Amino acid sequence: MKEKFKIKGQLRVYVQWPLYLSALWIVANMIIGAVSAKAGIIMALFTLLYTGLAVWLYAYRRQRLLGGLVEFSAEYSWMQKNFLTDLELPYGIADENGRVLWGNAALSEVLGEEKPLKVTRKNITTIFPEITKEALKLSNGTAELHATLNDRKYKIHLKTVTMEGSSHGIGQAVDMDAAGETLVAVYLFDETEILAYKQMVDDQKMVAGLIYLDNYEEALESVEEVRRSLLTALIDRKITKYITNMNGIVKKLEKDKYFIAIKQSYIPELKEGRFSILEEVKGVNIGNEMAVTLSIGLGMNGDTYYKNYDFARIAIDMALGRGGDQAVVKDGERIQFFGGKAPQVEKTTRVKARVKAHALRELMETKDRLLIMGHRLTDVDSFGAAVGIYRIATALNKKAHIIINEVTTSVRPLQDRFIGNPDYPDDLFLTGAKAAELVDANTILVVVDVNRPSITDAPELLRMVKTIVVLDHHRQSSEIIDNAVLSYVEPYASSACEMVAEVLQYIADGIKIKSAEADALYAGIVIDTHNFTNQTGVRTFEAAAFLKRNGADVVRVRKLFRDDLDDYKAKAEAVREAEIFEKYFAISVCPSEGIGSPTVIGAQAANELLDIAGIKASVVMSHYNNTVFMSARSIDEVNVQVMMEKLGGGGHRTIAGAQLADVTIEEAKTRLKAVIKEMLEKGDIS
């Protein structure tokens, strides 16, 4: 080892310094001799002595110096190896396939070995499944994962290392031939206690909540006056007991509103129980004909208590906007929904419609141009509602345009009555791109029959227009148009056309509706209610009567929506091929080849399947433009909105849909069945 050891760099220069100084002594000796010969002779003796010693040290003592350096290097390497071996942090070396090549004592203990690991058949990917072979490739040089082993939780840090030039330490323990080209250092950080303490802190956080009685006034009116105070007391008692059992507090804000505060540790219990208070309160019956339903909004994990309260307000608004009888938990940016089984209760009062109509008029009067937009693949309800808003705009002397990017066969008969009609401008209908060119500071955008930005006909307009109004009858989801100045969302309404027909009656006096417009609005109600048999209330018939008085023709509308033979055959085929799943669910596929609007035919087939005895819900799928469109329908027993939300869609309780891009029909059907099974297991479907 000593013979092979060579001195390099600064150490080599350091050893040669005595020789360099000898030359300096000789020069100094010559200068002194020039001054004084006697002094020069004396100095020469010392110069010879120093030069001799320097040569002797370099020639003979250097080997001993080298030996000492080698011994120090070896001892240092041994100390380094022992330091890593005895390091309390579990540390090891693995190859690119995950095979453990070396590990220190702490890692051996974690893996259940008695002594430090040398080359072994153990594979880190089988011990920690979270470490995949893809993760070991370390494209960025490092990676961080979290895993669990033997009830302990670890943060795993992976880092690319090199063993080139290593003669000691780990290099002696690792078989370099077995190691391959790439090595990965594995560090295990035990975070079990840290996570436990963090969970303890989280459990102590406050969760703010709001509880509203959805139908307080209506329920009281359905019971004798002398029993009304008893009904209120029973509901108060149920809510108070439910919250105090979790060591929470309840404060009654108004006769039908409560504020609650509980620890975050009780949230899993509430979720596990699917917020049982929703069903408990519905069970209160002292002769009231109408069951009382609740809406619950919880806010948690905000930066401050006020933020949690703000989250709770957003959650309760969302619960009410989805029809009530449900709990909404807003955990930071994450939103979860529970319940929502009860049908919406129709509000007999039109006060809200009048207030929203006046607010809409005030907004429209401040702008010069109106853009009206529905959802992608505009249907009859969306088209009719847009036409109704157009009539309001013209009554207020505002320029208005309806945005339609793709005309479906169901809408074309209605649209043809407006195209080429001298009563309407040529630019009444625009594409999203054309409408974007018209946007300025004096533009207002009215979105009808949709409240999810991603499925609007021209989502880019939502970012361009500052003043946005939303009118919709679908339940809200976690994805909403959050920059709307005015939002009128009523899940109990049968259709967007019904809502617009009501707004028409309040927004201005003496608005004259043309027959084509009345037909479009009436058609939207007819289609969405399946000829007044689905989601129909008193106000639906009142809106239809208003449109009939203004020129809507029932026979003319019926003729507009007669199917051609190919469409009728496709609908019949979808009904004939229906599969009954889990006894109560009809699932089918609508043929799309040669059909102009397979999504519309699929929706009609879903309605037809509900006429089969024993069917609680129907879902018909159609493949169109590389997307699987799902139309879901139910009568009253199944909330198909919740079902479709789990597939990325939405709607309301009895009519909903979803769109799955880049999947096959079979893949979509498999996902649908998995959702139905999950809902049955959790009791979301009775």
Side-chain angles (χ1 to χ4, degrees):
M1 176 66 71
K2 293 179 182 180
E3 289 73 11
K4 294 180 181 179
F5 194 93
K6 294 182 179 180
I7 299 179
K8 300 177 182 179
Q10 295 294 324
L11 182 61
R12 180 178 181 180
V13 174
Y14 179 79
V15 172
Q16 292 175 345
W17 260 113
L19 297 178
Y20 300 149
L21 289 176
S22 296
L24 183 63
W25 274 83
I26 293 171
V27 172
N29 195 166
M30 292 172 63
I31 295 172
I32 292 172
V35 175
S36 172
K38 191 173 185 180
I41 295 171
I42 296 171
M43 184 64 182
L45 295 175
F46 286 100
T47 300
L48 290 173
L49 179 62
Y50 178 83
T51 303
L53 286 171
V55 172
W56 179 75
L57 285 172
Y58 183 77
Y60 298 102
R61 301 296 294 179
R62 184 179 58 165
Q63 292 300 323
R64 290 197 177 186
L65 176 62
L66 295 181
L69 289 173
V70 170
E71 290 175 6
F72 171 78
S73 176
E75 187 169 342
Y76 175 79
S77 179
W78 177 82
M79 290 172 62
Q80 184 184 38
K81 178 184 175 183
N82 281 353
F83 171 75
L84 289 173
T85 301
D86 298 334
L87 187 67
E88 293 188 6
L89 174 71
Y91 171 79
I93 298 292
D95 64 14
E96 58 187 350
N97 295 316
R99 188 160 58 99
V100 179
L101 303 175
W102 179 88
N104 66 359
L107 182 65
S108 303
E109 184 178 349
V110 170
L111 302 184
E113 297 290 332
E114 295 181 357
K115 55 185 179 180
L117 297 168
K118 291 188 177 180
V119 179
T120 175
R121 292 185 178 180
K122 281 186 176 291
N123 197 297
I124 200 74
T125 60
T126 58
I127 300 169
F128 296 105
E130 292 82 359
I131 304 179
T132 61
K133 289 190 176 181
E134 289 74 20
L136 287 168
K137 291 179 181 178
L138 301 179
S139 56
N140 296 325
T142 62
E144 195 169 278
L145 304 165
H146 296 271
T148 302
L149 179 67
N150 299 329
D151 298 326
R152 306 294 294 181
K153 297 179 180 179
Y154 297 95
K155 180 175 73 174
I156 303 174
H157 185 78
L158 305 176
K159 183 178 181 180
T160 302
V161 296
T162 177
M163 304 298 286
E164 184 180 353
S166 178
S167 301
H168 303 283
I170 298 175
Q172 293 178 337
V174 175
D175 183 351
M176 299 305 295
D177 293 331
E181 296 181 1
T182 305
L183 296 178
V184 178
V186 182
Y187 304 83
L188 300 185
F189 299 90
D190 192 332
E191 55 182 0
T192 308
E193 293 185 5
I194 294 175
L195 292 177
Y197 289 134
K198 184 177 181 298
Q199 186 62 49
M200 288 174 62
V201 172
D202 287 342
D203 289 345
Q204 297 301 314
K205 289 182 180 178
M206 187 199 79
V207 176
L210 292 168
I211 298 177
Y212 287 4
L213 303 182
D214 299 326
N215 54 346
Y216 179 78
E217 297 290 348
E218 292 85 351
L220 285 185
E221 289 175 3
S222 70
V223 72
E224 297 177 13
E225 188 171 353
V226 293
R227 293 191 174 192
R228 290 178 182 176
S229 59
L230 178 59
L231 178 63
T232 303
L234 287 174
I235 294 171
D236 285 348
R237 186 166 176 263
K238 287 274 187 187
I239 295 173
T240 302
K241 184 179 179 182
Y242 185 72
I243 300 302
T244 53
N245 281 344
M246 293 178 287
N247 297 317
I249 59 172
V250 184
K251 176 67 175 177
K252 192 168 186 177
L253 303 176
E254 298 178 29
K255 61 182 183 298
D256 59 349
K257 295 179 176 65
Y258 305 81
F259 171 79
I260 64 172
I262 59 175
K263 289 182 180 179
Q264 194 164 302
S265 58
Y266 292 101
I267 294 298
E269 181 182 333
L270 289 175
K271 292 179 180 179
E272 184 69 25
R274 312 293 294 177
F275 289 86
S276 59
I277 187 65
L278 297 172
E279 299 299 322
E280 290 178 20
V281 170
K282 279 191 283 188
V284 176
N285 191 327
I286 58 169
N288 46 301
E289 298 175 3
M290 181 181 294
V292 179
T293 62
L294 299 179
S295 289
I296 303 174
L298 298 180
M300 55 190 286
N301 283 326
D303 297 333
T304 62
Y305 291 152
Y306 178 80
K307 194 67 175 177
N308 282 346
Y309 177 70
D310 191 46
F311 284 168
R313 287 194 300 108
I314 294 171
I316 197 70
D317 288 344
M318 190 164 289
L320 295 172
R322 291 162 55 85
D325 183 42
Q326 57 195 280
V328 177
V329 180
K330 182 167 174 55
D331 183 356
E333 295 301 317
R334 183 185 178 204
I335 297 176
Q336 292 178 281
F337 305 100
F338 301 86
K341 295 182 182 180
Q344 297 93 350
V345 179
E346 182 186 20
K347 307 292 184 183
T348 55
T349 175
R350 292 188 183 182
V351 173
K352 188 173 183 180
R354 176 174 55 79
V355 171
K356 297 292 185 180
H358 288 175
L360 176 59
R361 176 172 180 165
E362 290 178 2
L363 287 172
M364 292 174 67
E365 286 178 340
T366 62
K367 303 296 180 182
D368 297 330
R369 187 184 301 276
L370 197 75
L371 298 178
I372 310 160
M373 175 174 66
H375 52 74
R376 191 164 57 242
L377 293 178
T378 302
D379 61 11
V380 176
D381 185 33
S382 178
F383 181 86
V387 167
I389 297 297
Y390 169 80
R391 171 46 52 201
I392 294 172
T394 54
L396 298 175
N397 298 316
K398 304 295 180 182
K399 181 68 174 175
H401 308 275
I402 298 174
I403 299 167
I404 300 180
N405 283 319
E406 184 176 351
V407 182
T408 60
T409 55
S410 62
V411 170
R412 191 174 299 281
L414 285 172
Q415 189 184 33
D416 288 344
R417 297 189 64 188
F418 294 87
I419 297 176
N421 190 327
D423 292 336
Y424 301 97
D426 294 336
D427 61 352
L428 172 60
F429 301 106
L430 298 176
T431 62
K434 288 288 185 182
E437 297 174 1
L438 302 176
V439 172
D440 57 24
N442 287 316
T443 301
I444 181 174
L445 174 65
V446 179
V447 180
V448 295
D449 199 35
V450 61
N451 59 56
R452 296 180 59 190
S454 62
I455 60 174
T456 54
D457 215 356
E460 64 276 6
L461 292 178
L462 297 173
R463 297 184 292 271
M464 299 172 64
V465 181
K466 301 301 180 184
T467 306
I468 299 174
V469 176
V470 177
L471 284 89
D472 188 26
H473 67 115
H474 297 103
R475 288 185 174 191
Q476 291 178 312
S477 66
S478 56
E479 182 195 6
I480 60 174
I481 300 173
D482 54 7
N483 58 336
V485 177
L486 176 65
S487 182
Y488 184 21
V489 179
E490 290 293 1
Y492 64 79
S494 69
S495 57
C497 285
E498 176 190 324
M499 296 173 63
V500 173
E502 288 186 345
V503 170
L504 273 165
Q505 299 174 60
Y506 293 110
I507 200 164
D509 295 330
I511 292 183
K512 300 297 183 182
I513 304 175
K514 299 182 184 298
S515 61
E517 298 161 357
D519 284 351
L521 285 161
Y522 185 82
I525 296 176
V526 169
I527 294 298
D528 265 30
T529 60
H530 194 209
N531 290 314
F532 297 96
T533 60
N534 195 7
Q535 193 81 8
T536 307
V538 173
R539 289 169 64 175
T540 309
F541 290 106
E542 290 176 349
F546 165 75
L547 296 171
K548 188 76 172 66
R549 289 194 301 270
N550 282 272
D553 190 311
V554 178
V555 176
R556 190 164 55 225
V557 170
R558 182 181 178 187
K559 286 182 178 179
L560 286 172
F561 294 107
R562 287 186 295 181
D563 298 323
D564 63 30
L565 187 58
D566 289 336
D567 289 350
Y568 195 87
K569 285 181 177 179
K571 180 167 62 177
E573 180 70 12
V575 173
R576 188 177 73 86
E577 294 295 330
E579 170 192 355
I580 307 302
F581 180 68
E582 296 289 344
K583 298 183 182 179
Y584 306 113
F585 300 89
I587 301 174
S588 188
V589 178
C590 178
S592 57
E593 188 173 349
I595 306 299
S597 297
T599 59
V600 175
I601 303 303
Q604 294 174 357
N607 283 324
E608 296 289 339
L609 287 169
L610 289 180
D611 293 332
I612 299 174
I615 297 300
K616 292 183 177 181
S618 62
V619 181
V620 175
M621 292 172 280
S622 52
H623 197 272
Y624 184 67
N625 287 345
N626 202 33
T627 302
V628 174
F629 291 81
M630 290 187 180
S631 294
R633 300 290 186 270
S634 69
I635 296 178
D636 62 348
E637 295 173 287
V638 176
N639 188 337
V640 291
Q641 182 223 5
V642 175
M643 184 188 299
M644 291 296 102
E645 276 184 343
K646 294 180 182 294
L647 294 166
H652 53 82
R653 194 173 188 278
T654 57
I655 301 176
Q659 301 174 16
L660 304 179
D662 301 321
V663 299
T664 64
I665 287 288
E666 288 303 318
E667 290 172 341
K669 189 180 291 187
T670 300
R671 289 175 61 178
L672 173 64
K673 290 180 177 180
V675 167
I676 293 175
K677 283 186 175 181
E678 179 189 353
M679 293 180 68
L680 285 169
E681 291 170 359
K682 292 184 176 180
D684 291 337
I685 300 176
S686 53

